[in-house]
Amino acid sequence: MVIASFLFIISISCNSPEKVKTEAVVKSPDEDVQISFGVDDRGKPYYTVFFKEKVVIDTSYLGFEFKNHPPFEDNFKLTSIEETAFNQSWDMVWGEQKTVNNKYREIAVDLQEESETQRKLKVILRAYDDGIGFRYHFPEQEGVDTLIIMDENTEFKLTGDHTAWWIPGDWDSYEWLYNTTKITDINALEVAKTNKDLAASYIPENAVNTPVTMRTDSGLHLSFHEAALIDYAGMTLKIDKENLKLTSELVGSDRLGYKVLRELPFSTPWRTIQISENAGGLIESKMILNLNEPNKLGEVKWFKPMKYVGIWWEMHLGISTWDIGATQDMSTWTKDQASSTKHGATTENAKRYIDFAAKNNIGGVLVEGWNTGWEHWIGFEDREGVFDFVTPYPDYDLKEVVRYGKEKGVDIIMHHETSAAPRTYEQQMDTAYSLMESLGIHAVKSGYVGPIIPKGEYHHGQWMVNHYNKAMIKAAEYEVAVNAHEPIKATGLRRTYPNMISREGLRGQEFNAWASDGGNPPEHLSIVVFTRMLSGPIDFTPGIFNIKLDPHKEGNQVNTTIAHQLALYVVIYSPIQMAADLPESYEGQPAFQFIRDVAVDWDQTIVLNGEVGDFVTIARKEKGTDNWFVGSITDENEREITVQFDFLDEDKTYEAIIYRDADDAHWDENPESISINNMVVEKGDQKTFRLAPGGGLAISVKPTN
Amino acid sequence: MVIASFLFIISISCNSPEKVKTEAVVKSPDEDVQISFGVDDRGKPYYTVFFKEKVVIDTSYLGFEFKNHPPFEDNFKLTSIEETAFNQSWDMVWGEQKTVNNKYREIAVDLQEESETQRKLKVILRAYDDGIGFRYHFPEQEGVDTLIIMDENTEFKLTGDHTAWWIPGDWDSYEWLYNTTKITDINALEVAKTNKDLAASYIPENAVNTPVTMRTDSGLHLSFHEAALIDYAGMTLKIDKENLKLTSELVGSDRLGYKVLRELPFSTPWRTIQISENAGGLIESKMILNLNEPNKLGEVKWFKPMKYVGIWWEMHLGISTWDIGATQDMSTWTKDQASSTKHGATTENAKRYIDFAAKNNIGGVLVEGWNTGWEHWIGFEDREGVFDFVTPYPDYDLKEVVRYGKEKGVDIIMHHETSAAPRTYEQQMDTAYSLMESLGIHAVKSGYVGPIIPKGEYHHGQWMVNHYNKAMIKAAEYEVAVNAHEPIKATGLRRTYPNMISREGLRGQEFNAWASDGGNPPEHLSIVVFTRMLSGPIDFTPGIFNIKLDPHKEGNQVNTTIAHQLALYVVIYSPIQMAADLPESYEGQPAFQFIRDVAVDWDQTIVLNGEVGDFVTIARKEKGTDNWFVGSITDENEREITVQFDFLDEDKTYEAIIYRDADDAHWDENPESISINNMVVEKGDQKTFRLAPGGGLAISVKPTN
């Protein structure tokens, strides 16, 4: 599967037991990005990052605090530096592009304390053309078997009061609207107070979650994140406004009283900074993936990227319920209204979605609320032992639904709501995945709604990181692909485990159905693609056509046009994309053709233009065909977008079908007004389109010859 | 089924054995239309028609010539006049509207020769608000058992040199382009010489086929036709340019040497003249149906109006063949090219169409070329005994295809190509329909390509009229609905036998694929709807999306835009409507949504505007719903069409999806350029749309509340 186009490694090892020098430098292959690493006169390890010879990250110190051990802080010396140049291409099983080039230069620096403890630490730093990553390695050493990390103190010293797009450093949830402020105006604790809709949220200090993206005054784009988060706590970034400094703040465990416990030797996740002169470069960057280990699962032929529909939005609209007792839908929870009196996951309803999928080039049907336990879900403290993930409600014939789906060529997507009781889920995991295996179901959407049980654990702490990864690896053994909601953030593990197909981990479409603040504003996705999406695929569930949610949800609506919703199938990357609205909202809509047609797996991705929080235009080439799809979205501002069709083949003529905002479209006043045209396009053509306020543009481009 | 809303008949009988008077008058219920009937001073029966007190048909004589009998010509006296006023409503099993009002006044005039033969003749004349009809009745009488009619001499004396839309009075085919000329410029025999594409054609004199439509200088519209053509020869109208007179010319039989043979008593078909001040009134008129007998079949629950696709267009494009030997497609016949090497009607291909139909709200799949015999078809003289209508080719598993269709909810439409060998067909009819009954197939498309066998018979003569009607009645016994191609013209028999669902009988879509004259010009349908369509449903097979037939037919194309093709689903009435193009031409086309959505059965039909040969806009309300569909087409001229949404309900809001020619659309230069928009409309709204040259407009309108 992984085709190494070429592999070129140079290793220069300057191995000596004594201090070799006090600073090491590594430059990216194109030499634009430079990391300097050293220890200062007090033996404090630090690094600095330059881009085109200008400082991007000023002198930033590194350190750790431990339980039962003195901290790693100073008194270090460099004992060896190993330099490596690496250049290898690998193919994605599914992804934004067929082939990824992993090209970097690395220095691995061995440090040792000059104090009597003489503890060792290795720091590995990689310079890519599109950013930098570094990780800590704790080597085997005498006197230390296990480390209990109380704090990691990795600094990111900024060079100015950048504009930042951030969400609070919530230990339980990423489901926040992005804020656009200067660094000095980041006020996560104030924002925390506005939460009215999150079932689980804990924001202990003025920190932000990653990816957090910034733009400097000179227009350089930086995005801070981490890669390969394995057996470690998730990292938030604490804000030091005075010093314009971010410092790692690991998510902790109130139950265990520490952040991370590891036996030596071990490596931390990579701390990453993507760097790009234009905003689109952040999206095109594959550095996060490159910092992960190669594919361990092979071709994963049992999972194919797909579009799907499902019994889901109807619960958010309050039309039907998860539980058979018909008490539990989002109207009952968020609006204090009476629930519908209708269970959603019935055999009959599932078949209705299967029929719709079969007719519309949609590969999967998700059925939520199919299994017993939903009457004891959100709002209950004692959620362990409730769900068993194998017992259907009596009005849902799981086997018959799967059989009917197979007959129609439609895959059923399993649903496992753990209700944030991971111990119960782990006990049931083998049984649950065995059932799936026996039915030939190869994908599961998992959910972790609510505060984690046991109390004191948080969604993003080491204990839960390990749970999420365990579920992913166990699922792979049963040939099950995982789409986790309320997940740990993506850190590129999909490269290593391509059964990790997608995840939520952002404020999704469903907030538009009931959020007390009126839903996601028009700008939401034009920030998300430059922040959350840098970490990995998003199961955002786009494609709402009944924008005003009429007649189900008075006072709520989706705050975009329909054309914007269509564009999201291209703008957002995920190998699974939901057509989230009710089938009846799509019936009779010519614009639905775009959803039928649009691909979910790609040979190529090009960001044509974009500015964080304002707009973005992305072109993607369908895997294995000559078809292209273009998506463009704007925020609340109307704008003209020019699409330069330079990505097309020279010798071909293409039919483009343009789905654009009609002249009178507007996200609030006329959101469903869409205009569809076809035109012939060729390489080099340049076309300008108007995007309405909150609007979008979706284009399918297919060769005619 | 037939709900008589009320029935009101007044009969005034002035029965006396002596001559009562020399002229009788009957006026339409609204008194605008008047027929005067009398005998002149030589005893010659005549009639005159007035509209709003102006002469529309001047004194026109009536008469017959017989074999072995003197003609009916003069020496008649009126012996009795019976007047009737009739007002009854009846419901259509399927149709342009739910309920039809049949309201007329009638005089039935008994004539008797004053000569020694004393033969009797009755003439029944009806005045409707929308035109007139009259028929002859030959009562039982002494000395005459059987009449052999050599000629019927019914005159229609015009009042001016009207503009006429006409096709030649071909005894074998109606598949001619319409000519637009003054009466004095009608030159059917010159036109006859231009035939290069008709396998059967016989035009013995300067006559026209009916319906023939005219517009007087004062703007009055007249259309001449006949109703209830049963056991009689079809009528053409001979042109007397000098006297501006049309005279009935029955289609004859060279084999039998006469026009009609009947035993007494019998009635002729109705001779009809539809009269309307505006062109649209002709389309709205239901007079032809009202002149037929009520429904004899009841509810006909076994047939439901449907859209269909089929293995048909691919033969016209030369992609596949009817025969398994792969010699027979339209490229081989019309272009003298090599045929494809692929049989169209394979099990696999049929299933492909079934899958497409199942996905797209299309009820039926027609499969042509499924049965043995096609290698001995067009171009062969000895065509009797070739087709048996029950033996599939070995690569076509009829039962499996039907089973697969049923599984997918799709009906198979049977195909019977008689190759104009009706004796063979009549011998096989019971066997063929029995097979259909056993398979649960309830519709057949029949074909009569080529000159009739036996030689000397013509498609439109009495012998064939009887064959067509026999097939229709026999089919009804087996619960089979009939869609006849190369048929006798429609004369309203669908009222009596609602299993007569549609027919060809015009120059259809297929001419665009191969006609030597470049296909149907853009104006074609804007004449057809005011001429051919007045007789009854048309199986025109609209919906070609691959307008340029690329890459199959260089030099041929459909001479309209795609929007025009869509509009035809509303503009043309038929309870079966083909989506004629290849599935691959529809895949990915948002405009195909209109074909998915459009209804095929109606509660109401309104002609919003139109001029014969120029344009027409029709609104139809879907049966049993509140959905409306609007179709508008234009000829080669671009024009603006205003749609006045007065037909909508007062208290409703509607979503309209507009499928219109894009600004750059043109039937030749840019025929596939279509623009799709949605808008909210309410009763009273007025919207203006541009139709491209050869363009069209299709609108679906559905209530949102």
Side-chain angles (χ1 to χ4, degrees), chain A residues 395-558:
Chain A
D395 57 350
Y396 184 72
D397 185 340
L398 173 62
K399 283 186 186 170
E400 169 59 14
V401 168
V402 171
R403 184 207 65 74
Y404 188 78
K406 281 199 199 307
E407 181 187 310
K408 300 265 176 175
V410 174
D411 291 336
I412 298 304
I413 299 170
M414 176 49 74
H415 186 239
H416 291 167
E417 175 52 54
T418 68
S419 68
R423 289 193 299 220
T424 299
Y425 190 46
E426 290 193 22
Q427 284 158 11
Q428 297 291 336
M429 226 175 241
D430 276 293
T431 310
Y433 294 157
S434 290
L435 174 67
M436 290 177 62
E437 190 177 47
S438 74
L439 292 168
I441 299 178
H442 290 290
V444 64
K445 172 180 171 182
S446 56
Y448 294 85
V449 172
I452 298 292
I453 303 178
K455 270 194 188 177
E457 292 296 345
Y458 299 98
H459 283 72
H460 309 154
Q462 184 189 13
W463 191 76
M464 278 304 294
V465 165
N466 286 344
H467 169 80
Y468 288 117
N469 288 347
K470 179 179 178 177
M472 170 182 78
I473 291 165
K474 175 74 78 180
E477 290 166 14
Y478 287 92
E479 299 196 341
V480 166
V482 177
N483 163 26
H485 280 230
E486 302 80 32
I488 186 65
K489 62 189 168 185
T491 57
L493 285 173
R494 62 177 165 134
R495 179 183 176 191
T496 315
Y497 301 99
N499 72 313
M500 192 65 225
I501 47 175
S502 197
R503 71 187 79 208
E504 190 186 40
L506 87 167
R507 203 171 127 121
Q509 184 81 274
E510 69 276 15
F511 279 74
N512 292 317
W514 42 252
S516 54
D517 59 5
N520 305 328
E523 69 168 9
H524 187 50
L525 271 299
S526 62
I527 305 177
V528 162
V529 294
F530 294 104
T531 50
R532 159 67 182 85
M533 199 168 84
L534 305 184
S535 68
I538 308 176
D539 187 34
F540 182 75
T541 64
I544 300 303
F545 272 32
N546 179 4
I547 297 283
K548 294 284 186 182
L549 316 180
D550 190 35
H552 312 296
K553 285 282 181 175
E554 215 165 318
N556 288 97
Q557 72 163 80
V558 176

Side-chain angles (χ1 to χ4, degrees), chain B residues 398-673:
Chain B
L398 173 61
K399 282 185 185 169
E400 169 59 14
V401 169
V402 171
R403 184 205 64 75
Y404 189 77
K406 280 198 201 308
E407 181 186 310
K408 300 267 177 175
V410 174
D411 292 336
I412 300 303
I413 299 171
M414 177 49 73
H415 186 239
H416 292 167
E417 175 53 54
T418 69
S419 69
R423 289 192 300 219
T424 298
Y425 191 45
E426 289 193 21
Q427 284 158 12
Q428 298 291 337
M429 225 174 242
D430 277 294
T431 309
Y433 293 158
S434 290
L435 174 67
M436 291 177 63
E437 191 177 45
S438 75
L439 292 168
I441 299 178
H442 289 291
V444 64
K445 173 181 170 181
S446 56
Y448 294 84
V449 171
I452 298 294
I453 303 177
K455 270 195 188 176
E457 291 297 344
Y458 298 99
H459 283 73
H460 309 154
Q462 184 190 13
W463 191 76
M464 279 304 293
V465 164
N466 286 345
H467 168 81
Y468 287 117
N469 288 347
K470 180 179 176 177
M472 169 181 78
I473 291 165
K474 174 74 77 181
E477 290 167 13
Y478 286 91
E479 299 196 341
V480 166
V482 177
N483 162 26
H485 280 230
E486 301 81 34
I488 185 65
K489 62 189 168 187
T491 57
L493 285 173
R494 64 177 164 134
R495 179 182 177 192
T496 316
Y497 301 99
N499 72 313
M500 191 66 224
I501 47 176
S502 197
R503 71 187 79 206
E504 190 186 39
L506 87 167
R507 201 170 129 122
Q509 185 82 272
E510 69 276 15
F511 278 74
N512 291 318
W514 40 253
S516 53
D517 60 4
N520 305 326
E523 68 167 11
H524 187 51
L525 271 300
S526 62
I527 306 178
V528 162
V529 294
F530 294 105
T531 51
R532 159 67 181 85
M533 200 169 84
L534 305 185
S535 69
I538 307 176
D539 187 33
F540 183 74
T541 63
I544 300 303
F545 273 31
N546 178 3
I547 297 282
K548 294 284 187 182
L549 316 180
D550 190 36
H552 311 297
K553 285 281 180 177
E554 215 166 317
N556 289 97
Q557 73 162 82
V558 176
N559 301 310
T560 75
T561 66
I562 281 188
H564 183 113
Q565 289 291 310
L566 291 183
L568 294 181
Y569 288 86
V570 184
V571 165
I572 297 172
Y573 172 66
S574 175
I576 53 165
Q577 287 274 35
M578 191 174 203
D581 211 338
L582 310 177
E584 49 267 42
S585 298
Y586 296 131
E587 297 283 6
Q589 295 300 330
F592 187 62
Q593 189 60 43
F594 187 79
I595 298 181
R596 285 190 196 96
D597 289 346
V598 68
V600 280
D601 200 9
W602 311 100
D603 271 343
Q604 209 178 326
T605 288
I606 303 169
V607 182
L608 299 180
N609 52 53
E611 290 296 344
V612 188
D614 296 337
F615 67 98
V616 67
T617 308
I618 298 180
R620 302 192 197 261
K621 186 179 185 222
E622 184 175 20
K623 197 153 207 167
T625 78
D626 286 319
N627 301 335
W628 283 85
F629 295 86
V630 179
S632 184
I633 56 171
T634 180
D635 58 6
E636 69 282 5
N637 297 307
E638 177 183 26
R639 67 184 82 231
E640 293 211 321
I641 292 285
T642 297
V643 177
Q644 186 77 40
F645 288 92
D646 287 341
F647 49 84
L648 299 177
D649 280 1
E650 191 93 50
D651 56 345
K652 287 194 171 65
T653 302
Y654 297 80
E655 183 189 26
I657 303 178
I658 315 290
Y659 303 76
R660 61 176 183 80
D661 295 315
D663 295 344
D664 60 354
H666 181 283
W667 66 269
D668 190 26
E669 287 151 31
N670 213 356
E672 296 179 9
S673 192

